[in-house]
Amino acid sequence: MIEGTMQQRVDELFKSALSDTNNQPGLEDFHHLLQRCQQQLHQPMRVAIVGLIKAGKSTMMNALLGEEVVATGNVEATFNVNFLRYGDRPSLLVHFKNGRSPEPKPFTELADLTLRADTHRDYLLSIKYIEVIYPSPILESFNLIDTPGLLSYYKDDSENTLQFLQLHGQELTDITQSEAQGADAVLYLFSHSLATEDKQTVEMFQGPTVGHVTPINAIGVLTKVDSSWSDPNASEPMEAGNRICQRLSSHPQIRNILYTIYPTCGFLAFGAQTLTKEEWEILTRLAQLLPEERMHKLIKDVRRFCDREYPDVPIPPSQRQELFKRLGQYGIWLAYTLIRSGVNNQTQLTAELLEHSGIPQLRNLILSHFGHRSYLIKLSKVLQEIKVTSFRYQQNLQVTQQQVVNNVVGLFEKLEAQEHGFAELRVLRNYYDKKLDFDENEVTQMLEVTGESGTSCSERLGLGKLATINEMMPVAKARMHYWRKKAHDDFGSDHISITAAKVLASSYERILYRLQKAKEYLYF
Ligand SMILES: Nc1nc2c(ncn2[C@@H]2O[C@H](COP(=O)(O)OP(=O)(O)O)[C@@H](O)[C@H]2O)c(=O)[nH]1
Ligand SMILES: [Mg+2]
C-alpha cells in the first residue's frame, strides 16, 4: 500500500485517540503520551550514539557533522547528553531534570555547559540534556544524540578521571542506557585493537541491553581503526578494520543485534574536514622536501616525529606536534603519501582523507538503512511505547477509563497487524535472524523491495531512481509471479520462508498497482 496513505491512516488514528482521551479525568498522562508520540512521528528520526566512555562517540558526532560542535577527549567534558537537531542558526536550549521550563543559551556556551566546573557545579548537575540547534545537512534527516557513555575502567587513565568515574560512572551508564532506549535507532560504537580478543568485544554486547536493539535499528561502528597503526609497511588500517568487522559480524551473538559493523576513523575524518590552509601548507612542505625513507623513519615513532629539531626537517617541532594532534600518525602519513602521489590542492586532499576514514560510507549507510525506513522504524517504536506505558497506567484507572485505553491500544494493535509495512519489517527481522531460506538473488530482491536502496517504485525494483513506467512494469510483474510461485511451493521451503514469500509477492503486487494507476493518470 502507498506509504503516504499509511501516514494518513496513522494520523487519523491519532486524531481519534486524542479526541477520545481529551479532557478525561485520570487519562491526562495517557493523552500527553499520545500527543508526544504523534509529534515524534513528524520529527526526524532520533539516532543515539552509544558505546563505552571514550569509545570515540563525540569525535564521531563531529565527524558526521563535519565541524567541531560537541566537546571531545575529556571524560569530565561529556557529562551531559547533547541532543542535536537542525535549525538555521546555532543555539542551545538547556533542559532540566526537575522539569522547569527549558532555558535558551547562546551556542558559544556549549563548552561551559558540558565542562565540569566547581563554580557552577549544582547548575550543571541539574541539567537533563542540552538541545543543540545547528545548521548541518545530516540533521535535516536525523536528530543525533551524543551520550556520555557506558562505564568501563581504563588502567592508563589519570587519577582525576578514575575518581570521576567512581563518583559518576554508574550515573553516566544509566543516562546512556535511557537515551538509547528512548531513541528510534542506535549507532553502537566500540574500539577493538588487534590485540583485543574477539571474545571480549562480543561479551560487551551481552551486557545490560542498550535499548531495543535489533539489526533493523542498530548499526555497529568500529572506531579508532588508525590507533594501532604505526608502520607504513603494515597494511592500511581500514583493511585491518574490515577484517575485524567481518570476523565480528559473523558471530551469531552480534548478528542478532546489529545490522552490520563498519570500520571508521572519526578522528581522521574530523581533521580532514576542518583542515586549515596552514596545515595544508605544512603537509605540502613535508611531502616536497622530505624523502620518503626519512619520513618513513620519523613517523614510525611519535616522539621522534614530534619532539626534536632536525637540520633536514623543514618544520619546527611545535608545528609537528600540532599536526599530530589534528591528524594522528596515520593521518599525517596518508596525507604525505597522497600529496606525493599527485594530490595538489587542499579540497582534493580533504576529499581523499575523508574517503579513507570510512565516514562518507557510514553516512550513506545510516541514510539507506535507517533513513529510507525511518517512518516505519519510528512508528514501531511509538507503538511499542504506547503498549508498554498503557499497561502501566491501566492499574490505577477506573473501569470506564480502562476501556478507553483498551480501545485505543486495540486500534493501534490492529494497525500493526494490518499494515503491509510491518509485515515487511517482520520479514527483515526473520532474515537477520537467519530464518529465511532465500538464495543470494532473493535476498537482494527482498532488501530492495523493503526499501534498502530507496523508497520509490523504481528503487524498490532495483532499477535506480530514473526508470520509466514501461521499464518498471515488466520487472514488477515478473517478480510478483516469481514470489507467488515460491509462496505456493509448500514442499520446497519451510513455513517462515513461505510466509515471507507471500509478503514479498504482495509488496510487488502493490508496486504494480501503483504503476498501473500512474499509467492511467498519465495516459488515459
Ligand atoms: N586515534 C584515534 N583517536 C580517536 C578517534 N576517535 C576518538 N579518538 C580519541 O579518543 C578520545 C576519546 O574520544 P571522545 O570522542 O571524546 O570519546 P567519547 O567519550 O566516546 O565521546 C579522544 O582523545 C579522541 O581524540 C579515532 O578515530 N582515532
Ligand atoms: Mg563524548
Side-chain angles (χ1 to χ4, degrees):
M1 217 150 287
I2 299 170
E3 185 107 323
T5 54
M6 173 163 95
Q7 295 194 19
Q8 281 163 7
R9 283 191 292 277
V10 172
D11 280 344
E12 283 299 317
L13 199 55
F14 268 103
K15 217 162 115 188
S16 83
L18 283 167
S19 122
D20 290 348
T21 52
N22 196 21
N23 287 330
Q24 295 266 4
L27 292 185
E28 294 84 359
D29 286 352
F30 189 56
H31 186 76
H32 286 145
L33 169 78
L34 292 171
Q35 269 177 331
R36 188 167 51 75
C37 286
Q38 187 197 30
Q39 279 163 7
Q40 264 167 24
L41 286 175
H42 293 277
Q43 303 284 323
M45 184 179 192
R46 294 159 307 166
V47 180
I49 304 188
V50 298
L52 295 181
I53 291 165
K54 284 205 172 176
K57 300 180 296 299
S58 302
T59 305
M60 173 67 63
M61 173 73 95
N62 287 337
L64 287 171
L65 298 168
E67 287 168 81
E68 180 158 19
V69 179
V70 296
T72 62
N74 187 339
V75 174
E76 296 90 327
T78 41
F79 195 84
N80 287 312
V81 171
N82 292 316
F83 183 99
L84 280 86
R85 71 170 175 84
Y86 186 84
D88 289 338
R89 248 182 279 136
S91 61
L92 306 175
L93 205 54
V94 179
H95 295 258
F96 298 95
K97 287 176 187 158
N98 68 3
R100 75 179 150 113
S101 329
E103 202 176 328
K105 293 264 181 194
F107 179 74
T108 43
E109 282 188 23
L110 184 58
D112 282 345
L113 287 168
T114 35
L115 262 170
R116 192 175 59 120
D118 288 338
T119 45
H120 51 304
R121 196 168 173 278
D122 289 344
Y123 180 78
L124 294 184
L125 287 174
S126 71
I127 295 174
K128 188 173 177 206
Y129 68 97
I130 301 167
E131 195 172 334
V132 182
I133 297 125
Y134 205 79
S136 173
I138 193 169
L139 297 175
E140 289 183 282
S141 309
F142 302 103
N143 289 332
L144 296 176
I145 306 163
D146 187 22
T147 62
L150 309 162
L151 179 62
S152 78
Y153 296 95
Y154 292 88
K155 291 188 191 71
D156 57 348
D157 260 334
S158 68
E159 193 52 33
N160 193 15
T161 298
L162 284 177
Q163 246 179 25
F164 179 79
L165 286 179
Q166 242 168 29
L167 279 176
H168 300 291
Q170 190 53 48
E171 192 183 346
L172 301 189
T173 301
D174 294 346
I175 296 172
T176 302
Q177 282 179 350
S178 127
E179 285 304 322
Q181 274 156 15
D184 300 304
V186 164
L187 286 186
Y188 202 128
L189 269 56
F190 63 99
S191 54
H192 178 99
S193 76
L194 290 172
T196 323
E197 280 191 34
D198 285 1
K199 196 165 155 270
Q200 254 172 290
T201 304
V202 172
E203 272 167 9
M204 204 177 76
F205 290 99
Q206 313 311 312
T209 48
V210 195
H212 180 57
V213 179
T214 75
I216 292 164
N217 72 355
I219 292 177
V221 182
L222 176 71
T223 56
K224 307 188 185 183
V225 294
D226 66 311
S227 62
S228 49
W229 182 95
S230 65
D231 181 2
N233 285 327
S235 62
E236 287 244 345
M238 283 298 271
E239 278 174 29
N242 259 318
R243 279 197 297 275
I244 295 175
C245 287
Q246 272 172 14
R247 235 178 32 231
L248 287 171
S249 318
S250 65
H251 212 286
Q253 277 153 309
I254 287 192
R255 251 187 358 228
N256 278 346
I257 56 170
L258 298 178
Y259 167 65
T260 187
I261 303 179
Y262 227 68
T264 56
C265 178
F267 187 69
L268 174 62
F270 174 70
Q273 292 171 98
T274 53
L275 198 74
T276 63
K277 192 161 169 286
E278 290 71 37
E279 286 162 350
W280 156 254
E281 280 164 5
I282 293 171
L283 287 164
T284 314
R285 288 187 70 204
L286 278 175
Q288 283 167 351
L289 301 173
L290 216 58
E292 192 156 324
E293 212 176 305
R294 180 77 177 108
M295 179 65 176
H296 192 144
K297 220 168 162 181
L298 271 183
I299 200 73
K300 273 172 87 162
D301 183 335
V302 178
R303 287 184 51 200
R304 197 181 297 155
F305 182 80
C306 290
D307 288 355
R308 283 183 35 208
E309 238 2 302
Y310 304 99
D312 63 328
V313 178
I315 310 295
S318 59
Q319 287 189 353
R320 278 181 258 138
Q321 274 164 31
E322 285 307 309
L323 201 58
F324 172 73
K325 279 192 210 147
R326 292 270 298 131
L327 292 177
Q329 234 170 327
Y330 171 65
I332 295 174
W333 173 254
L334 183 62
Y336 170 91
T337 51
L338 285 168
I339 296 171
R340 281 177 80 86
S341 62
V343 167
N344 63 7
N345 64 72
Q346 194 181 329
T347 315
Q348 199 189 350
L349 181 67
T350 292
E352 295 267 352
L353 291 176
L354 204 51
E355 203 57 32
H356 279 78
S357 73
I359 294 297
Q361 297 85 335
L362 178 67
R363 262 200 213 116
N364 287 340
L365 183 73
I366 297 173
L367 205 63
S368 65
H369 189 65
F370 293 156
H372 294 146
R373 300 193 180 100
S374 66
Y375 188 75
L376 261 183
I377 296 179
K378 280 189 292 184
L379 187 58
S380 13
K381 176 85 200 170
V382 154
L383 296 188
Q384 176 75 9
E385 195 173 343
I386 292 174
K387 266 192 269 178
V388 172
T389 322
S390 65
F391 183 74
R392 248 198 355 254
Y393 286 150
Q394 291 276 11
Q395 272 117 42
N396 307 321
L397 294 178
Q398 289 172 359
V399 180
T400 47
Q401 295 163 331
Q402 275 182 9
Q403 265 166 4
V404 176
V405 173
N406 277 341
N407 274 346
V408 168
V409 174
L411 288 174
F412 281 115
E413 278 174 346
K414 198 165 149 203
L415 176 95
E416 201 168 352
Q418 287 178 348
E419 283 297 336
H420 187 67
F422 283 105
E424 289 182 341
L425 272 191
R426 285 190 288 273
V427 171
L428 271 179
R429 179 72 224 171
N430 282 329
Y431 163 67
Y432 293 124
D433 285 347
K434 301 280 165 206
K435 289 184 184 159
L436 297 182
D437 177 25
F438 287 180
D439 65 27
E440 206 177 310
N441 213 8
E442 290 169 338
V443 167
T444 306
Q445 291 186 12
M446 179 216 47
L447 290 174
E448 277 167 0
V449 81
T450 56
E452 187 81 14
S453 329
T455 50
S456 68
C457 286
S458 67
E459 286 164 317
R460 281 179 185 248
L461 291 168
L463 299 174
K465 272 196 175 122
L466 300 172
T468 62
I469 294 185
N470 285 339
E471 284 163 342
M472 288 188 260
M473 292 280 257
V475 178
K477 249 185 221 162
R479 297 211 177 154
M480 179 182 75
H481 290 306
Y482 176 87
W483 286 97
R484 274 187 184 165
K485 197 160 162 242
K486 191 170 169 80
H488 286 102
D489 185 10
D490 289 340
F491 297 110
S493 230
D494 57 277
H495 171 66
I496 297 179
S497 303
I498 285 177
T499 308
K502 275 186 195 149
V503 171
L504 299 181
S506 172
S507 303
Y508 286 111
E509 192 182 330
R510 282 152 201 264
I511 292 176
L512 199 57
Y513 176 80
R514 284 168 77 165
L515 293 174
Q516 274 157 350
K517 281 280 161 220
K519 209 166 172 178
E520 276 170 33
Y521 282 128
L522 283 173
Y523 302 118
F524 300 112

